[in-house]
Amino acid sequence: MATPNYGYEKRQRELAKKNKKADKLREKSERKTNPEQAPEGEPEQPQNSLPTPPAAQ
């Protein structure tokens, strides 16, 4: 039976972590350059999300 290659497994985990970090940085920079676009999956919300009271008559 072959022995586990722990060095390979560790390298794969490190590469996955590095790619995830790079993706996050890329998304963050895109949000900074395009602030008017809402992130995917989240609906746009107005700045003032509180309801306005009705006018007194």
Side-chain angles (χ1 to χ4, degrees):
M1 186 169 160
T3 59
N5 188 350
Y6 294 113
Y8 176 79
E9 293 174 5
K10 182 178 180 183
R11 179 70 178 145
Q12 294 304 307
R13 285 192 306 269
E14 289 173 350
L15 288 173
K17 191 185 292 187
K18 182 179 176 182
N19 288 337
K20 185 175 180 181
K21 188 173 184 178
D23 289 342
K24 280 189 162 187
L25 285 173
R26 188 179 317 111
E27 289 175 8
K28 186 176 181 181
S29 67
E30 287 175 2
R31 282 195 307 261
K32 281 187 176 183
T33 57
N34 299 324
E36 67 277 354
Q37 295 178 350
E40 293 181 17
E42 295 182 18
E44 291 187 27
Q45 295 182 358
Q47 293 292 336
N48 186 2
S49 61
L50 298 174
T52 55
Q57 292 179 351

